[in-house]
Structure formats: structure tokens, C-alpha cells
């Protein structure tokens, strides 16, 4: 699905292949060093000598620009974005293949900064998928910007002619950018060393991915069946396979900042609990006394069985079981939320809507963005309130929480079951302490940092605060029952950025994060459930290497990991947008099929996702079907285009007809209530763009249709709009 597996490649790699691979691996694209190529020198390639740089003149690109005003003065080229789709074209000179990567470098001045920069090159540059370039952090002085053409656009190297290039400058109108000194040059010695170090890190990641695959596929001689806490002690019990003879077995607690497939850390090995094996040699038990206040009850802790080899003083103990998470049996006095089936919902709920407006629409479900970073502090701050977790004091951001209360209460007071989407925004001005250390601002949001204990503690403190506050035990704050863990993780590079990672490493990290959310929320609300967020790219094969992944593969691995390390009640938050976000007529989608190998899952073939969720292998250990929320998807319609408005309204009606045939889908959150000016020109709202005269935007026909769904008026609406899809979609 995503090319050869790591396990199939590693045995074939000889020392020579290691060298070649190291040389050609994709490296970190953004070099922030301020070193120039050797002054006055030329680069020796072994066979010939090439120029040390090729200057690029962008002063005339205004003739090949879209929504850009371009001017030039004293060697400085100025760009002003005139719309939300600014781009220009230029010709790249012929670049010979060399030992060193070619670097495109410039200096820029841009107080606003630019994100979402894209590169297209070669023939037909209007059609191929774009390559994401590094973002330009805000710069109020002249700042260097550079990236490797070999890594990001290898098609431009070794061409026998000039290569046409198109660069898209984000999606914000009004941004002003100045550039100077635009050149293409071979990388200098500092960058060459960085490339080699990056290649070594790539090899280390490949080896870790192989260990994770081995851990997941191994036939373990021992199994952990249960881990229970009775208020005084932790009781662990398991079984041994018939052919297994165990000596000196002991239990170790694995912490959330460690990878189960790696050997335990020195700190983890410092505490061991002996294991008792029954007379038949088939059952084993272990007991951890007085765990209250210890780290053994912390969220994300799992237990693993080990056996010491004969040379106990020098050898690392051998794992004989997979790690397993503690069973949670919460008994908080919170009644369950109402049962949902194909419920109407909305995204982006804020207090600008009144509960009465949402009730009039018939909303039963709603999703609210929750920014996790900046919620807690390890030290006191003005206006922040202290709270304790296991004897440690943290401080909470009260102004942020009060705003969050208003949004969640709006939906709760309207009678909706609320989903909170947990987000960690990236920033060009500095990484949040809870953002993954390899995350870059190429992504809108980051994966949490689960690489060290302090970062984990901050993240867990924020989750604990949210889980307790919105458990339902404090009605004045509102209630959250569904916790959507990050955003569109299969498209991680943009929406849950963790840097470039193999699927195995990315998902291992993500699984630890979603389990932390489960462990921090369910003790306060036994009915809380965590959801994995995925795009419509179900089984797509055009993934960016170590940046994006197929949702089907991620779900299959999450299911396997849940069986391996202990099941927990997670669900799926799917985004079945149409094949093209610009076309609401999903019934005309062509990249879908009615089978589990379909490239995309849109509304047209939504039954495929429901079928997958009903597979015996997809269910929970007790046979229950895991729930699905269609938590973000909308239909584009410009409010000045009557045809698009009619198609949008029809799409809503056909969507609910499909939803009612998919019992695993409990809710559909339409994205969004009103059009937004910063969504790249998309007009997905049920209402138009907000204005001073109409803060919610003018109603589109879709608003009335949406309110009619599930009422006596729905049949009337179907008669009015069904000609849009009749004859184009099978039943």
C-alpha cells in the first residue's frame, strides 16, 4: 500500500547499499545556517568543475503571476498577494548532477511570514500534486531562506533543458514579501555535514521501525491477561504458552516516554516485581503493593514481563511478553450521554451562536477546537489558578478556560453531545514545550512530545485538567464526551506534524498519545471515548515519503496494537469529503469503489467504512462495533453561484440518506456553519461570509435544508432537489 515494508528491505541492504542510500536519503529541507559557499571558489565534482552559483532573476515574473503584484527596485523584488491563490512561474537553469545537493537560497523580508508554500516543476505544472516547501517564519529584518532541490524537487536535477517551475505563496491575500539575492548553488561544507547527519538519523529511524514491526509480529511466549487496581494494590495475571519454560521472571513498568519495542531504560529497570508461576507452569501472577502516589498508576504506564539471562550482571533482560496497559474500570457518577444515530452536527461551534439557534437547526452533536498548548504552567502566573495532580502543583490558564467554557456550554446547552478536538498549533516564533521536538511549522498542528518525562507530564496535566473540567461533573463548564485526538493524522505532515517519520514510528507515538487521552478522561467520565482523526484518503498510494500515510493501514495497525497491548474504547473520526473539495456532487466521484481496497472513501461509498467497522477484527474485544463520527466534511458553494448552491443543498440531503444505511456512524458534523475567508477560497459554509451587517453570514439554501433534515420537511426538500443526483448514484 505504501511501497515495500522496512522488514523486506533491510536484509537486502549491503554495506554498499547503505552508503548509497545514506547519500540519497531525503533530508531536512530547511537550512537556517548563515554560511555561504566558499568565497570565490568553484565546486569540484571529481570529473569536472561547475559554477558555484546560478543567480535567478525574479524581477520579471509579474508577467507569469496570478494574484500577485510584482515590482523591483535596487535588486529587491517585492510581491504583494492580491488574492488567496497567489503564485508565479519562472525557468530554472539546467543543473548537472553533482556530489552535493543543489540549494535554492534567498534573503527575504516578511513581517507576516508565509505558510503553505508549494512547489511544482516540470511539464504540466498545473496538474501534478504540489510539494510543500518550508514555511517562511515572520521576518522583520532580512533573513536567509533555503532548501535542497535534490530533496524536495529531484526532477529538476540533471535535466538537459531549463525546467519550468511554479511557486505558490500560501493562501492569504494582502501578504507582502520582499526577496533579494536569489541563487541556486551547491551546498556548502556545513550543509553537507548536516545532510550526512540527517542520513544517519534516517538509518536509525529505519532500524527503530524494524524493531517496532518485529515487536508487533512476534509470537510472545507469555501473555498478560489482566491488570487491575483494587485501591490498595495492582494485580497482574497472565498465561505462558505450553512450550515455554520460564526462570527468574519479573515485571517492569514501561513509561509513556518509552517505546515498547525498545529495551527498557535504566530507570525502568531499577524497579522490578517478582512473578509467581503456578505448579502447571501455565499461569503467572504478580502483585504491586502500595502503588498509591507512585508512578505505576500514571496515565500511559504499561507493564511488561521479562526474563533474566544466565549472566545477569552484564546482559539486558529478555522481554517474553508484549507490554500491556492497565485496565480502567472507572466508577464516576456521570450518566451516559444520549444515544446517537446519524445525528446532525456542526464543527467550529463557538459562543457567537446561541443555543436557541443550534436547537432550531436540530443539532444533536457538535465539535469544538481545544488548543492544548498554553493551558498549564509549571510555575505560578498572574491570573492562573493552581491545581494538584498526585501531590504536584500546576497552574491553569483561567482566561483560556473561560473562553473554552463559553464555546462548550453553547453546544451543551443546545442539547448536543460535544466532541473536543485536541490541537497543538505550530508556530514560527517558537515550539511549544508540549510539541514534538521534530515538529516543524510546515504543519498547522504538531504531535505532542512524548520523548521525555517532563514533556509527558505537561501534556498529561493539560489532559487531566480538561478531562476533569468537562466530565459532566461540573455543568457550569459544559461537557465533552468525545475526544478527537489531533487532526487528520494520516496527513500528519500538515495536520499533526512530527517531522519526517516512518509509519511505524509515527503511529507508535500517536497510539501512546490517544491512550494518554483515554487514561486522563475516562476516570472522570466512564462514557468518554477517544477518536482517531482521518481524511478520506482511505487506501491511497500517493503518500509523501515519511510524511503522509494511508488511513486503512493506520486503522489496521491501531486495531492490532489494541489487541496486543490491551483494548480500550476508541472510535474513528472520519472526514469523507468529496473527491474534489471544489465539487459538491460527490455522487459523481470516480476514485471510489464499493470494496475495502478503494482509493478514497467519500459519501458516495461511505458504506465501505461502515462495512470495515463491522468486521470481526475491527470490533472491541467484547464484540461491540466501534463508533464513527464523520467529524469534518463540507460541500463547496459560492453564495453568488445558484448552481453550486443547489448542488450543495442536494448533497446534504443525499448524505443523510447514505448515513442512515451505516449504523456504525453515530454523528455527522458538517463543516462549517459559515464561510471562512482563510480556507483557500473554499466556501463550505451553510451560510456565506460573515460581515459587519451579518456577523453569521447570509443564509444559503443549505441552511434551510440542513434544518429540515430529520423533520417532516425533509421529504419536501428531497422532492425539490433529488433531480440533482437521480440517475447518477446507485442505491
Amino acid at each position: 500500500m505504501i511501497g515495500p515494508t522496512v522488514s523486506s528491505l533491510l536484509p537486502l541492504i549491503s554495506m554498499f547499499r547503505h552508503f548509497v542510500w545514506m547519500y540519497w536519503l531525503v533530508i531536512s529541507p530547511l537550512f537556517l545556517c548563515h554560511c555561504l559557499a566558499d568565497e570565490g571558489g568553484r565546486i569540484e565534482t571529481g570529473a569536472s568543475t561547475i559554477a558555484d552559483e546560478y543567480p535567478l532573476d525574479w524581477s520579471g515574473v509579474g508577467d507569469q503571476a496570478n494574484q500577485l503584484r510584482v515590482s523591483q527596485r535596487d535588486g529587491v523584488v517585492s510581491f504583494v498577494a492580491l488574492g488567496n491563490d497567489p503564485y508565479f512561474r519562472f525557468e530554472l537553469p539546467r543543473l548537472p548532477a553533482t556530489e552535493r545537493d543543489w540549494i535554492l537560497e534567498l534573503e527575504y523580508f516578511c513581517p507576516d511570514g508565509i505558510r503553505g508554500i508549494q512547489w511544482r516543476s516540470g511539464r504540466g505544472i498545473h496538474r501534478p500534486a504540489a510539494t510543500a516547501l518550508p514555511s517562511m517564519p515572520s521576518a522583520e529584518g532580512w533573513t536567509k531562506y533555503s532548501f535542497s532541490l535534490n530533496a524536495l524537487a529531484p526532477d529538476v536535477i540533471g535535466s538537459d533543458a531549463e525546467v519550468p517551475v511554479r511557486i505558490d505563496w500560501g493562501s492569504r491575500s494582502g501578504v507582502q514579501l520582499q526577496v533579494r539575492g536569489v541563487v541556486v548553488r551547491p551546498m556548502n561544507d556545513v550543509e553537507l555535514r548536516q545532510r550526512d547527519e540527517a542520513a544517519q538519523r534516517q538509518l536509525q529511524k529505519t532500524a527503530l521501525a524494524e524493531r517496532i514491526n518485529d515487536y508487533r509480529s512476534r509470537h510472545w511466549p507469555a501473555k498478560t491477561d489482566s491488570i487491575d487496581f483494587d485501591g490498595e494494590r495492582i494485580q497482574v495475571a497472565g498465561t505462558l504458552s505450553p512450550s515455554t519454560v520460564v526462570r527468574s521472571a519479573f515485571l517492569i513498568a514501561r513509561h509513556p516516554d518509552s517505546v515498547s519495542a525498545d529495551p527498557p531504560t535504566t530507570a525502568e529497570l531499577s524497579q522490578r516485581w517478582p512473578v509467581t508461576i503456578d505448579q502447571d507452569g501455565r499461569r503467572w501472577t504478580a502483585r504491586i503493593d502500595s502503588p498509591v502516589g507512585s508512578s505505576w498508576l500514571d496515565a500511559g504506564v504499561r507493564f511488561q514481563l521479562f526474563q533474566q539471562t544466565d549472566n545477569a550482571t552484564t546482559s539486558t533482560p529478555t522481554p517474553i511478553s508484549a507490554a500491556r496497559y492497565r485496565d480502567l474500570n472507572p466508577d464516576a457518577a456521570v450518566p451516559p450521554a444520549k444515544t446517537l444515530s446519524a445525528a446532525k452536527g456542526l464543527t467550529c461551534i463557538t459562543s457567537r451562536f446561541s443555543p436557541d439557534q443550534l436547537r432550531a437547526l436540530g443539532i444533536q452533536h457538535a465539535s469544538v477546537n481545544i488548543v492544548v498548548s498554553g493551558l498549564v504552567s509549571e510555575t505560578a502566573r498572574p491570573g492562573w489558578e493552581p491545581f494538584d495532580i498526585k501531590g504536584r502543583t500546576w497552574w491553569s490558564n483561567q482566561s483560556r478556560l473561560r473562553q473554552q467554557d463559553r464555546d462548550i456550554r453553547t453546544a451543551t446547552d443546545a442539547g448536543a453531545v460535544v466532541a473536543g478536538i485536541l490541537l497543538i498549533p505550530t508556530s514560527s516564533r517558537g515550539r511549544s514545550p508540549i510539541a514534538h521536538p521534530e515538529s516543524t511549522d510546515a504543519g498547522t498542528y504538531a504531535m505532542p512530545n512524548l520523548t521525555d518525562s517532563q514533556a509527558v507530564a505537561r501534556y498529561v496535566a493539560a489532559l487531566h485538567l480538561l478531562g476533569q473540567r468537562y466530565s459532566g461533573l461540573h455543568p457550569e463548564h459544559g461537557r465533552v464526551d468525545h475526544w478527537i485526538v489531533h487532526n487528520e493524522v494520516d496527513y500528519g505532515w500538515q495536520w499533526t506534524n512530527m517531522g519526517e517519520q516512518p509509519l511505524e514510528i509515527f503511529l507508535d507515538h500517536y497510539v501512546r498519545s490517544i491512550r494518554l487521552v483515554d487514561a486522563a478522561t475516562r476516570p472522570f467520565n466512564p462514557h468518554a471515548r477517544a477518536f482517531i482523526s482521518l481524511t478520506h484518503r482511505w487506501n491511497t498510494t500517493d503518500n509523501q515519503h515519511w510524511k503522509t500515510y494511508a488511513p486503512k493501514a493506520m486503522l489496521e495497525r491501531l486495531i492490532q496494537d489494541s489487541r496486543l497491548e490491551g483494548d480500550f474504547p476508541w472510535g474513528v473520526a472520519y472526514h469523507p469529503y468529496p473527491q474534489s473539495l471544489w465539487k459538491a456532487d460527490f455522487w459523481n466521484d470516480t476514485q471510489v469503489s464499493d470494496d475495502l481496497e478503494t482509493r478514497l472513501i467519500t459519501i458516495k461509498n461511505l458504506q465501505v467504512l461502515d462495512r470495515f467497522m463491522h468486521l470481526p477484527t475491527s470490533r472491541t474485544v467484547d464484540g461491540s462495533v466501534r463508533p464513527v463520527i464523520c467529524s469534518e466534511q463540507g460541500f463547496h458553494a459560492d453564495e453568488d453561484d445558484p448552481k453550486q448552491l443547489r448542488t450543495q443543498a442536494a448533497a446534504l440531503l443525499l448524505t443523510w440518506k447514505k448515513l442512515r444505511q451505516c449504523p456504525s456512524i453515530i454523528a455527522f458534523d458538517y463543516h462549517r456553519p459559515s464561510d471562512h475567508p482563510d480556507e483557500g477560497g473554499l466556501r463550505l459554509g451553510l451560510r456565506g461570509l460573515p460581515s459587519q451587517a451579518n456577523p453569521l453570514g447570509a443564509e444559503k439554501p443549505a441552511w434551510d435544508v440542513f434544518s429540515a433534515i430529520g423533520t417532516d420537511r425533509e421529504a419536501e426538500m428531497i422532492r425539490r432537489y433529488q433531480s440533482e443526483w437521480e440517475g447518477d448514484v446507485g442505491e
Side-chain angles (χ1 to χ4, degrees), residues 181-253:
V182 187
V183 300
V184 175
R185 59 168 178 79
M187 60 170 43
N188 56 46
D189 291 343
V190 172
E191 293 162 341
L192 180 63
R193 184 170 64 252
Q194 291 174 334
R195 187 191 70 178
D196 292 343
E197 291 171 351
Q200 183 59 39
R201 288 194 296 273
Q202 300 282 351
L203 290 176
Q204 293 169 353
K205 289 182 180 182
T206 301
L208 174 56
E210 178 66 13
R211 292 197 299 275
I212 292 172
N213 276 337
D214 177 70
Y215 169 85
R216 297 174 71 254
S217 61
R218 189 184 309 179
H219 177 70
W220 293 100
K223 178 185 177 184
T224 304
D225 297 317
S226 63
I227 304 175
D228 296 307
F229 175 55
D230 62 9
E232 296 182 359
R233 63 188 62 82
I234 298 173
Q235 300 276 7
V236 188
T239 53
L240 298 168
S241 62
S243 59
T244 301
V245 178
V246 174
R247 302 182 296 175
S248 305
F250 54 89
L251 206 63
I252 288 179

Side-chain angles (χ1 to χ4, degrees), residues 94-123:
R94 290 177 289 176
L95 299 174
T98 72
E99 297 180 345
R100 301 187 179 218
D101 286 4
W102 287 100
I103 305 298
L104 193 152
E105 179 182 77
L106 54 84
E107 288 186 288
Y108 76 97
F109 184 97
C110 184
D112 292 329
I114 303 178
R115 300 172 69 161
I117 307 173
Q118 295 181 329
W119 170 288
R120 292 176 172 87
S121 55
R123 296 179 180 178

Side-chain angles (χ1 to χ4, degrees), residues 636-648 700-701:
H636 171 74
D638 191 301
E639 56 187 319
D640 296 324
D641 189 320
K643 172 60 177 172
Q644 290 183 2
L645 293 172
R646 181 174 172 84
T647 304
Q648 181 190 45
K700 298 179 183 179

Side-chain angles (χ1 to χ4, degrees), residues 325 511-519 561-562 565-568:
Y325 287 83
V511 170
R512 283 184 279 138
S513 179
I514 194 173
R515 282 190 177 272
L516 284 172
V517 173
D518 174 71
D561 288 346
S562 298
E565 297 194 335
D567 199 13
F568 66 107

Side-chain angles (χ1 to χ4, degrees), residues 331-566:
D331 57 0
V334 176
K338 63 184 176 184
T339 302
L340 300 176
S341 177
K344 275 195 295 186
L346 279 176
T347 69
C348 306
I349 295 297
T350 68
S351 56
R352 70 184 186 278
F353 292 94
S354 72
D356 287 341
Q357 288 173 312
L358 298 180
R359 274 193 292 268
L361 275 177
I363 297 301
Q364 300 179 61
H365 194 268
S367 57
V368 176
N369 290 344
I370 300 177
V371 174
V372 183
S373 49
L375 276 182
V376 301
S377 170
E378 295 172 286
T379 57
R381 296 186 183 185
W384 293 45
E385 290 188 1
F387 67 100
D388 289 339
I389 302 177
K390 292 180 59 177
R392 180 174 180 178
T393 301
W394 298 84
W395 280 262
S396 61
N397 186 336
Q398 288 298 301
S399 63
R400 277 266 309 278
L401 288 168
R402 284 192 292 270
Q403 177 59 55
Q404 199 73 67
D405 291 350
R406 287 191 287 270
D407 295 344
I408 294 173
R409 274 290 304 274
T410 296
T412 302
D413 290 349
V417 177
V418 179
I421 307 172
L422 301 172
L423 304 170
I424 303 171
T426 57
S427 171
S428 60
R429 297 183 182 274
R431 182 184 290 110
S432 163
I434 67 169
H436 192 278
E438 293 186 55
S439 63
T440 76
D441 65 1
T444 305
Y445 302 109
M447 183 76 81
N449 180 8
L450 305 183
T451 64
D452 70 78
S453 58
Q454 288 304 309
V456 170
R458 292 188 199 98
Y459 181 51
V460 170
L463 296 178
H464 176 99
L465 176 69
L466 293 169
Q468 185 178 51
R469 190 178 186 93
Y470 301 119
S471 63
L473 294 170
H474 309 283
E476 67 275 15
H477 301 310
R479 172 171 167 170
V480 175
D481 283 275
H482 300 153
W483 298 92
I484 299 176
V485 184
H486 319 319
N487 187 48
E488 297 189 342
V489 295
D490 60 297
Y491 219 78
W493 183 253
Q494 181 172 359
W495 295 113
T496 309
N497 191 286
M498 186 178 158
E500 297 181 29
Q501 306 289 349
L503 169 62
E504 294 84 352
I505 296 176
F506 184 91
L507 195 61
D508 177 271
H509 206 93
Y510 178 77
V511 170
R512 283 184 279 138
S513 179
I514 194 173
R515 282 190 177 272
L516 284 172
V517 173
D518 174 71
T521 58
R522 208 153 40 98
F524 300 112
N525 176 1
H527 316 289
R529 188 180 295 260
F531 289 77
I532 180 174
S533 172
L534 301 165
T535 71
H536 67 178
R537 303 166 56 259
W538 176 251
N539 199 31
T540 185
T541 57
D542 58 346
N543 295 292
Q544 299 180 53
H545 181 67
W546 286 14
K547 292 181 178 180
T548 64
Y549 321 93
K552 180 173 181 279
M554 299 188 88
L555 276 179
E556 288 171 339
R557 295 181 73 95
L558 177 55
I559 290 167
Q560 184 180 358
D561 288 346
S562 298
R563 298 282 175 153
L564 183 66
E565 297 194 335

